[in-house]
């Protein structure tokens, strides 16, 4: 996005990328539909971000869902809005959008240098790269870093830049997994019979936040959908207390009194699983979760069973490893940046995207903020160049 802004303004741009091709994580994000943004008022949209600091909101507020949609249309890629308000390219895929974007940049003269890994600042302040032809140094008029977070290293985002930044005296908040799965000490039965099972129509809540999206059981624990939505709160609870409680409502369309009444009315000679199945249609993975997390003896009492069904505590013992998280919180500290995302310690050097310390749920909020901060950094460079020219 920074290259987009700068090349549109006629500024010469060189893009250095460590991997043999560009945008690998962007392409991965589009594997099951590139959810690039989300409809909503500016206020509602901004409230989804876990960072509420001034410059971040200003930049995302200036380049939100409407601007992302118009930008895609400018590349000949109309937007499609899904049933829950998620915005996708009409083709759903990332590759046609990335191809059109790279073509536009190339047409404007942007040079893409692949297999060029930035290794730090050389003495004197030049940028040092490990390139196919050996060590390369360059001294551009301005630099935008967009090196990504610290997960999915096989796509290039290894977070190794954080050490180079810290060595240069730039504050970097530690990486933390975000939009991640969690571990659970499942019984062998739960693991063997239900790993991979989707769980639908269940309400989930954590620390006052509630959602009703689907999630999945894994051999190690739980992941995706609603688990990602609640992941920031759950991760914070684990960091503070060593474990977290995810509350499940197995029958969100019935209140506890109705659940108890139906169980009460079931013939007492029926087995518990038959009562759950016939009176409440509670079977399969939902019944297994109930047996797994509730006190088995208490389930024979309708009132106690209703209570467990409506508020079932699932103990999460940890997060999955950082590298497996969809995104990472942490990164370049806001205090290290000015309002235009320029590093205070390194005038003329800007930062954008997931490498900056903001955090967001999935749903298009991540890529929108990457684009918005990239655009802001590009505009910051334009101001910086203008100031330098005036000196
Ligand atoms: C499976 C998956 C699905 C996702 N789905 C969505 C989604 O639907 N919607 C959404 O909004 N977000 C989604 N995301 C998150 C989204 O992809 C990221 O937030 C986004 O790609 C971050 O963009 P970025 O440009 O900041 O960093 P990245 O996309 O990580 O790009 C950073 C680039 O910098 C390069 N690099 C790193 N270090 C160096 C170095 N030293 N020298 C040179 N180059 C370097 C890397 O190779 C990489 O190409 C998903 C992520 C994953 C993993």
């Amino acid at each position: 996005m920074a290259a987009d802004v700068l090349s549109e303004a006629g500024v010469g741009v060189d893009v250095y990328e460590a991997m043999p091709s560009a945008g690998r994580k962007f392409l991965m994000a589009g594997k099951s539909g590139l959810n690039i943004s989300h409809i909503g008022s500016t206020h509602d949209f901004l409230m989804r971000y876990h960072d509420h600091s001034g410059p971040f909101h200003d930049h995302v507020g200036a380049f939100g869902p409407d601007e992302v949609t118009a930008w895609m249309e400018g590349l000949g890629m109309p937007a499609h809005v899904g049933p829950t308000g998620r915005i996708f390219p009409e083709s759903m895929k990332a590759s046609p959008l990335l191809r059109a974007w790279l073509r536009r940049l190339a047409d404007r003269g942007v040079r893409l240098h692949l297999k060029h890994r930035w290794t730090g600042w050389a003495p004197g302040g030049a940028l040092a790269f490990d390139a196919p032809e050996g060590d390369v140094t360059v001294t551009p008029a301005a630099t935008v870093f967009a090196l990504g977070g610290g997960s999915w290293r096989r796509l290039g985002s290894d977070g190794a830049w954080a050490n180079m930044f810290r060595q240069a005296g730039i504050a970097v908040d530690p990486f933390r997994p975000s939009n991640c799965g969690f571990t659970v000490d499942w019984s062998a039965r739960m693991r063997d019979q239900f790993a991979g099972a989707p769980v639908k129509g269940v309400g989930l809540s954590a620390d006052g936040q509630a959602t009703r999206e689907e999630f999945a059981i894994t051999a190690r624990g739980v992941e995706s959908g609603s688990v990602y939505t609640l992941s920031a709160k759950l991760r914070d609870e684990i960091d503070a207390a060593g474990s977290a409680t995810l509350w499940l409502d197995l029958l969100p369309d019935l209140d506890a009194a109705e659940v108890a009444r139906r169980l009460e009315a079931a013939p007492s000679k029926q087995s518990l699983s038959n009562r759950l199945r016939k009176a409440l249609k509670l079977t399969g993975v939902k019944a297994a979760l109930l047996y797994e997390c509730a006190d088995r003896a208490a389930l024979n009492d309708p009132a106690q069973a209703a209570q467990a069904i409506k508020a079932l505590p699932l103990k999460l013992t940890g997060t999955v490893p950082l590298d497996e998280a969809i995104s990472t919180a942490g990164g370049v500290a806001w205090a290290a940046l000015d309002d235009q995302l320029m590093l205070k310690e390194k005038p003329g050097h800007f930062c954008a995207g997931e490498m900056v310390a903001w955090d967001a749920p999935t749903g298009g909020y991540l890529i929108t903020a990457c684009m918005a901060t990239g655009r802001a950094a590009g505009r910051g460079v334009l101001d910086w160049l203008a100031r330098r020219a005036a000196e």
Side-chain angles (χ1 to χ4, degrees):
M1 277 308 282
D4 213 23
V5 168
L6 289 165
S7 60
E8 189 180 19
V11 176
V13 181
D14 289 273
V15 177
Y16 297 90
E17 163 60 55
M19 300 299 278
S21 62
R24 291 192 171 199
K25 201 180 226 183
F26 188 76
L27 291 173
M28 176 58 80
K31 205 173 168 196
S32 52
L34 182 72
N35 178 199
I36 198 164
S37 197
H38 200 290
I39 58 167
S41 70
T42 304
H43 176 265
D44 290 351
F45 191 82
L46 290 175
M47 291 320 284
R48 299 303 306 271
Y49 291 91
H50 308 311
D51 188 282
H52 294 263
S53 73
F56 179 73
H57 269 196
D58 293 345
H59 299 317
V60 180
F63 196 83
D66 293 346
E67 290 78 14
V68 170
T69 300
W71 174 86
M72 277 203 293
E73 278 167 7
L75 281 170
M77 302 282 152
H80 158 77
V81 181
T84 56
R86 291 171 183 239
I87 301 176
F88 301 86
E90 211 169 58
S91 68
M92 295 303 281
K93 293 184 182 148
S95 46
L97 181 63
L98 181 64
R99 267 201 307 275
W101 194 3
L102 291 174
R103 204 178 313 121
R104 176 161 86 187
L105 294 177
D107 289 347
R108 289 188 191 151
V110 174
R111 290 167 297 268
L112 180 57
H113 308 267
L114 298 171
K115 297 187 189 167
H116 279 63
R117 170 170 295 278
W118 178 67
T119 53
W121 283 279
L127 300 174
F129 292 92
D130 176 10
E133 63 269 35
D135 292 343
V136 172
T137 54
V138 292
T139 312
T143 300
V144 175
F145 290 105
L147 301 172
S151 66
W152 287 66
R153 61 179 56 239
R154 70 187 165 87
L155 304 178
S157 328
D158 60 10
W161 57 265
N163 283 339
M164 275 94 88
F165 271 50
R166 288 192 183 109
Q167 278 160 20
I170 299 159
V172 180
D173 297 342
F175 290 127
R176 301 163 79 205
S178 194
N179 298 296
C180 57
F182 292 86
T183 53
V184 176
D185 282 338
W186 292 131
S187 63
R189 176 179 179 272
M190 189 74 194
R191 200 168 38 244
D192 295 348
Q193 291 187 18
F194 294 101
V199 186
K200 299 178 186 181
V202 167
L204 272 79
S205 60
D207 192 20
Q209 190 185 349
T211 173
R212 230 181 115 162
E213 301 150 89
E214 189 176 323
F215 70 100
I217 306 291
T218 66
R220 281 181 304 186
V222 287
E223 69 174 24
S224 77
S226 46
V227 171
Y228 292 167
T229 300
L230 300 175
S231 64
K233 284 197 183 270
L234 294 167
R235 175 200 65 207
D236 290 350
E237 198 178 325
I238 286 170
D239 282 355
S243 66
T245 304
L246 179 60
W247 294 95
L248 311 183
D249 179 350
L250 298 179
L251 294 170
D253 295 324
L254 298 179
D255 64 24
E258 176 61 14
V259 174
R261 194 194 63 72
R262 290 191 191 185
L263 285 173
E264 196 91 56
S268 55
K269 65 177 182 337
Q270 279 181 356
S271 68
L272 175 62
S273 61
N274 271 341
R275 266 179 284 149
L276 292 172
R277 179 168 57 86
K278 291 188 175 161
L280 299 170
K281 298 194 174 62
L282 215 48
T283 57
V285 66
K286 289 189 202 176
L289 280 165
L290 183 64
Y291 293 134
E292 184 82 6
C293 305
D295 172 7
R296 187 70 182 244
L299 292 179
N300 286 313
D301 171 59
Q304 289 188 59
Q307 204 181 355
I309 288 165
K310 294 295 293 173
L312 188 66
L314 176 61
K315 185 178 173 192
L316 308 182
T317 55
T319 59
V320 298
L322 184 72
D323 193 48
E324 295 173 32
I326 294 290
S327 62
T328 46
V332 179
W334 283 103
L337 298 166
D338 72 8
D339 284 356
Q340 293 192 301
L341 306 182
M342 186 168 83
L343 288 167
K344 292 175 186 166
E345 288 291 322
K346 292 260 177 203
H349 294 72
F350 296 74
C351 297
E354 205 182 304
M355 71 182 293
V356 180
W358 51 268
D359 192 12
T362 52
Y365 301 97
L366 293 161
I367 293 184
T368 296
C370 290
M371 298 179 82
T373 52
R375 175 178 171 275
R379 289 162 79 104
V381 169
L382 289 178
D383 280 358
W384 162 258
L385 295 176
R387 281 204 305 278
R388 293 286 299 271
E391 276 168 10

